């Protein structure tokens, strides 16, 4: 007997599953739904992956092998390695559907980071990266239909990337993304590019609207509102009416000359997709948002529990374009009663962005915890030990930092984390902490130069020399490598003390000055330059590009010149060339050093 889901598909509406995880895929759950129920697509989101990855053991083997093979990988890298495997497997399962429908159906969706919802270019770049990395024709990249997301959608369609537009609540927002889809197709046509295998859906969220509208209704009824009867008559109806009018716009538009020109070239329509179709109010049927929104050229992405319910007792009938006049009356009545649908949908977009970000935080937090558990000594497992009185304060502070996205904003160089001034110009130490400011081969070469010498004198002042001094005092020189003497004073006594400890004709000299023109390092350089017999081959310079010291070092034939990053302040420079050149010269394995600092870098890194 044909299942109700298969009948739904035959009616013109594609049933998609709003769920994916490793165990479900491995046990053939998706394949069974495709074969027996006619399911033709899959959607995913951070909440789904959080439950799948943070709980159970299905991902543990890949977790462990990935962390062991990639000890410096971020939490996001770890998540993507796992999620992408699932998305690719689901795409492969649905590929026959994609081929059979000529690219109209058979899609699996994966979303860009929800942290990027308000960034157009960032969204474009991430979507392109995921599209290339997953490398499946039946992939859809989920992009929010926010003001920033809409121009990104247009560009990505022009790029030839299938897009699932998410977080749509209002008809105005839907029309905007529909036009973005059309403009993207037109741009491809203008370039002579094909459009017949490109597809998009516009995910119109349903039950969340009723949840908010019905809450307002219940509050007013409980307060004895004079319009209580009229208000109660609207419960559970506004979201469906809103969706029906969106479909009416779609039906009108696909008849237009503008669309017909694209259709003649093989364009697929951007189908409306009904999302958030699980019934949240137990007073309503559990299949309400499936039964009431059935119509041709649409999609319903259904949670597993709702899909089971529909399979058991759903009703297949063309309901989406029935009683349209009644739907208009519902919305007119909602406006008359001051239920403020526009305000509700605007707030739902804002809340949706936050909910997705919160879900991503929970997902990445669960992965970080699982990764630490499985990695053992491969990652830093430090835990705080605080008196009870301070534990809540710490927890509150951490939650404040998470909710305000301090970490993401820091790594995005958002100066508003501080005063909104010029702080963003001084964040080069973030990349330095990841080992991106140094050239390991150049450091190995200067280490080889230092090997066999007895002493290196570091001539610097202030923050630039403090880090190397700590390394010299705590770690010290490796066997066969020189002792580093950090001299950051112009006091004659200290200068003579250092000079008395070395053989000036044999020692190496490291001149460190960001500006290259600070008086104190320049005086020290001049003194030891004379003392060392003006032998440039025993001098090394560490300075910022274009400085006076760089020019002088070239003129005097210094053995090596290491250029810093002007965006790193001296006291933050230990993991830049200012700290790592003296580290290499005292025989520290710098690559291994960064591997050992990686756990703390990861702990402080951005989750996006």
């Amino acid at each position: 007997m044909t299942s109700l889901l298969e009948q739904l598909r035959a009616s013109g509406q594609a049933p998609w599953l709003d769920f994916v995880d490793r165990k479900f895929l491995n046990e053939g759950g998706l394949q069974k739904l495709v074969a027996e129920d006619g399911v033709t697509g899959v959607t995913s989101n951070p909440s789904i992956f959080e439950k799948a990855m943070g709980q159970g053991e299905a991902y543990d083997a890949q977790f462990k092998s990935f962390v062991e093979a990639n000890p410096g990988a971020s939490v996001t890298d770890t998540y993507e390695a796992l999620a992408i495997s699932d998305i690719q497997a689901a795409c492969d399962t649905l590929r026959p559907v994609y081929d059979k429908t000529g690219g109209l159906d058979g899609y699996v969706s994966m979303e860009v980071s929800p942290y990027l919802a308000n960034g157009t270019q960032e969204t474009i770049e991430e979507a392109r990266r995921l599209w290339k990395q997953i490398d499946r024709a039946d992939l859809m990249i989920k992009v929010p239909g926010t003001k920033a997301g809409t121009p990104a959608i247009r560009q990505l369609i022009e790029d030839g990337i299938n897009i699932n537009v998410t977080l749509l609540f209002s008809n105005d927002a839907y029309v905007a993304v529909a036009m973005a889809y059309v403009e993207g197709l037109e741009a491809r046509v203008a370039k002579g590019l094909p459009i017949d295998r490109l597809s998009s859906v516009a995910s119109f969220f349903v039950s969340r609207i009723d949840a908010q509208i019905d809450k307002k209704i219940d509050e007013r009824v409980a307060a004895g509102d004079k319009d209580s009867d009229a208000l109660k008559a609207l419960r559970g109806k506004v979201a469906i009416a809103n969706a029906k009018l969106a479909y009416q716009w779609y039906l009108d538009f696909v008849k237009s000359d503008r669309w017909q020109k694209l259709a003649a070239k093989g364009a697929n329509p951007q189908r409306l997709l009904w999302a958030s179709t699980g019934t949240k109010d137990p007073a309503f049927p559990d299949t309400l948002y499936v039964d009431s929104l059935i119509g041709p050229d649409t999609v319903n992405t259904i949670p597993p529990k709702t899909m089971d319910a529909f399979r058991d007792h759903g009703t297949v009938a063309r309901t989406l374009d029935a009683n349209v006049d009644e739907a208009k009356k519902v919305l007119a009545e909602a406006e008359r009663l001051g239920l403020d649908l526009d305000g509700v949908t605007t707030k739902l977009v804002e809340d949706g962005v936050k909910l997705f970000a919160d879900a991503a935080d929970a997902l990445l937090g669960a992965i970080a915890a699982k990764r630490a558990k499985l990695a053992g000594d491969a990652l830093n497992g430090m835990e705080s030990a605080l008196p009870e009185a301070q534990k809540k304060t710490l927890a509150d502070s951490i939650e404040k930092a998470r909710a305000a996205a301090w970490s993401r904003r820091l790594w995005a160089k958002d100066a508003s984390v501080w005063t909104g001034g010029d702080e963003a110009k001084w964040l080069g130490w973030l990349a330095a902490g990841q080992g991106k400011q140094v050239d390991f081969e150049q450091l190995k070469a200067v280490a080889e130069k230092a090997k066999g010498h007895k002493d290196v004198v570091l001539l610097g002042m202030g923050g630039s020399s403090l880090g190397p001094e700590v390394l010299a005092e705590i770690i010290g020189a490796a066997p066969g490598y020189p002792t580093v003497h950090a001299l950051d004073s112009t006091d004659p006594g200290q200068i003579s003390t250092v000079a008395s400890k070395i053989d000036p004709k044999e020692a190496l000299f490291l001149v460190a000055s960001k500006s290259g023109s600070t008086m104190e390092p320049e005086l020290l350089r001049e003194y030891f330059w004379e003392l060392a017999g003006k032998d440039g081959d025993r001098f090394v310079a560490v300075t910022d590009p274009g400085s006076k010291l760089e020019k002088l070092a070239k003129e005097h034939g210094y053995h090596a010149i290491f250029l810093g990053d002007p965006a790193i302040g001296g006291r933050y420079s230990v993991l830049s060339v200012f700290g790592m050149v003296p580290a290499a010269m005292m025989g520290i394995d710098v690559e291994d050093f960064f591997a050992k600092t990686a756990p703390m870098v990861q702990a402080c890194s951005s989750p996006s």
Side-chain angles (χ1 to χ4, degrees), residues 84 88 98 107-108 110 112 124-141 156 159-163 197-199:
I84 285 173
Q88 289 174 326
Y98 172 85
Y107 288 96
V108 181
M110 183 173 181
V112 297
I124 292 170
E125 291 171 1
E126 171 132 329
R128 287 170 173 167
R129 179 182 65 81
L130 289 174
W131 176 257
K132 182 177 181 180
Q133 193 168 351
I134 295 172
D135 191 25
R136 295 294 188 275
D138 56 337
L139 170 71
M140 276 191 174
I141 302 296
L156 293 168
D159 291 348
I161 297 174
N162 304 312
I163 299 297
R197 282 276 177 160
L198 192 55
S199 193

Side-chain angles (χ1 to χ4, degrees), residues 528-546:
F528 283 98
W529 175 251
E530 296 291 335
L531 198 65
K534 300 182 180 180
D535 183 359
D537 189 54
R538 288 191 290 117
F539 277 73
V540 173
V542 182
T543 187
D544 281 354

Side-chain angles (χ1 to χ4, degrees), residues 14-19 30 34 38-43 94 97 105-109 301 307:
W16 287 10
L17 177 68
D18 191 23
F19 176 78
L30 178 58
V34 172
V39 167
T40 58
V42 170
T43 52
L94 284 160
V97 176
D105 218 331
Y107 288 96
V108 181
S109 298
T301 183
M307 185 170 281

Side-chain angles (χ1 to χ4, degrees), residues 218-238:
D218 292 344
E219 289 171 350
R220 287 174 59 176
V221 169
D225 194 291
K226 64 181 179 61
D227 292 314
S228 289
D229 289 342
L231 288 164
K232 285 189 286 187
L234 294 180
R235 288 190 92 258
K237 295 182 179 179
V238 173

